[in-house]
Amino acid sequence: MILVDSTILTEIAPHVTGKKREAQKNIIAAVGEVIGDTLPPYQINNRLRLAHFLAQICHESDGFCTTVEYASGDEYEGKKSLGNIKPGDGRRFKGRGLIQLTGRANYQKYGDLLGLDLIANPDLAAEPANALRIACQFWKNNDLNTLADQDNLVAITEKINGGQNGIESRRAYLSRAKAALARIEAFAVPAVVDAQPTLRRGSKGDAVANLQEQLRNAGYPIAVDGDFGAATEVAVMHFQAANALASDGIVGPKTWSALRGSANGIDLGATALTPKTPVTAITAKTDATDKTKQT
């Protein structure tokens, strides 16, 4: 289990100023105090599950800047699909929490599940600790761990939003979450190098994030996002060429062994990018060859 705290939340959150900055600071501090104990019972316990969960709650809370919907809630007035059957229910049960809980029926449902009287006191849903519990319960009820294990951002967003609103924002937060979590997790390459999987363009998952972290340690400024795309392929090929390996972009036992040697401080050659191979070279190839990549 990766330890998640306010430091990780801050790294994922956007930079804001003024009153939003103060609100963000308070929410992150309050959530950070309880998130380590709250997530495990819901099995939000590996890098992909954590990354998707954190990305979604970050987006839904406007970058951890609010736990209350900015709109008045008037648009929900009289919506029977939300259980809003009494006058004033629209405003009373507008969106609150880290995954915006909306409507009398949902306040009743999640209040009953968590032992909170959200009908009598809907503002309880906005308190950061309760907001986190509600988000976790929603995640469990909708089996979002399964979709997170598949790295399926689109399907998770549809479950939460009912559509694809804010998908680019959610994707950006997901990349930040993956990178932040990868940096705090130990990436020790096992002594039995053959146990590492063979990776190539299109591979995804923890093994790819491991590879990307090793490449970053060797001097290649690529993202650690668990997605073996064009930039990762270029970095692998450069590393292989610099270490007298077949420069095919496929990471097998010999490449893993070379990376392990690099991590242990063995001089395997010029493994880092040099002025003759600038960062822009990788960026340029990514822009030219990776137009159709989707999460």
Side-chain angles (χ1 to χ4, degrees):
M1 176 71 183
I2 304 170
L3 177 63
V4 178
D5 56 18
S6 59
T7 301
I8 295 298
L9 301 181
T10 300
E11 189 169 349
I12 297 168
H15 176 72
V16 294
T17 59
K19 291 182 178 179
K20 288 186 76 171
R21 172 59 183 155
E22 189 62 27
Q24 183 188 68
K25 180 180 178 181
N26 291 337
I27 290 170
I28 285 176
V31 172
E33 287 183 1
V34 298
I35 194 167
D37 292 328
T38 303
L39 297 184
Y42 295 93
Q43 301 302 307
I44 305 173
N45 55 8
N46 64 37
R47 192 188 307 142
L48 276 175
R49 294 178 183 184
L50 288 165
H52 279 275
F53 179 80
L54 295 175
Q56 292 290 342
I57 66 172
C58 187
H59 173 83
E60 289 287 316
S61 63
D62 188 25
F64 299 120
C65 291
T66 185
T67 54
V68 180
E69 183 178 0
Y70 293 132
S72 67
D74 285 344
E75 64 182 294
Y76 308 125
E77 186 66 16
K79 282 201 171 183
K80 293 183 179 179
S81 61
L82 294 173
N84 290 342
I85 56 176
K86 295 184 179 181
D89 276 357
R91 288 191 173 221
R92 184 172 180 79
F93 300 111
K94 71 177 188 175
R96 291 184 179 85
L98 292 171
I99 290 181
Q100 297 286 296
L101 189 67
T102 308
R104 174 183 283 272
N106 285 317
Y107 275 70
Q108 183 72 64
K109 175 181 179 179
Y110 285 90
D112 290 346
L113 287 169
L114 297 171
L116 299 170
D117 190 352
L118 299 181
I119 298 299
N121 190 358
D123 286 335
L124 285 174
E127 294 180 5
N130 291 334
L132 179 62
R133 292 176 63 206
I134 292 168
C136 288
Q137 189 65 50
F138 178 92
W139 197 265
K140 176 183 177 180
N141 287 1
N142 289 276
D143 195 23
L144 296 185
N145 278 334
T146 297
L147 295 176
D149 288 341
Q150 298 167 7
D151 206 9
N152 195 333
L153 173 66
V154 171
I156 292 173
T157 299
E158 288 179 349
K159 288 282 190 179
I160 293 172
N161 176 257
Q164 294 300 307
N165 291 329
I167 190 65
E168 293 306 321
S169 167
R170 296 171 202 266
R171 182 174 284 113
Y173 286 135
L174 178 60
S175 293
R176 292 172 71 135
K178 285 179 176 179
L181 293 166
R183 279 193 286 274
I184 66 167
E185 190 175 29
F187 283 109
V189 178
V192 181
V193 179
D194 289 343
Q196 291 286 2
T198 297
L199 303 175
R200 53 175 53 82
R201 180 82 173 266
S203 297
K204 293 184 180 182
D206 287 353
V208 176
N210 185 348
L211 167 67
Q212 291 167 331
E213 185 72 15
Q214 298 297 324
L215 287 168
R216 284 186 66 88
N217 290 340
Y220 295 88
I222 59 173
V224 179
D225 60 7
D227 188 345
F228 198 131
T232 301
E233 184 179 51
V234 172
V236 168
M237 292 173 69
H238 186 281
F239 178 86
Q240 289 170 327
N243 289 281
L245 299 170
S247 183
D248 56 8
I250 299 174
V251 182
K254 291 182 180 179
T255 302
W256 281 118
S257 180
L259 284 165
R260 181 170 174 249
S262 178
N264 289 336
I266 299 172
D267 185 6
L268 295 170
T271 59
L273 289 174
T274 67
K276 293 182 180 180
T277 311
V279 175
T280 51
I282 288 180
T283 304
K285 181 150 186 178
T286 302
D287 291 341
T289 63
D290 206 24
K291 297 295 187 183
T292 61
K293 187 179 78 173
Q294 297 180 353
T295 302

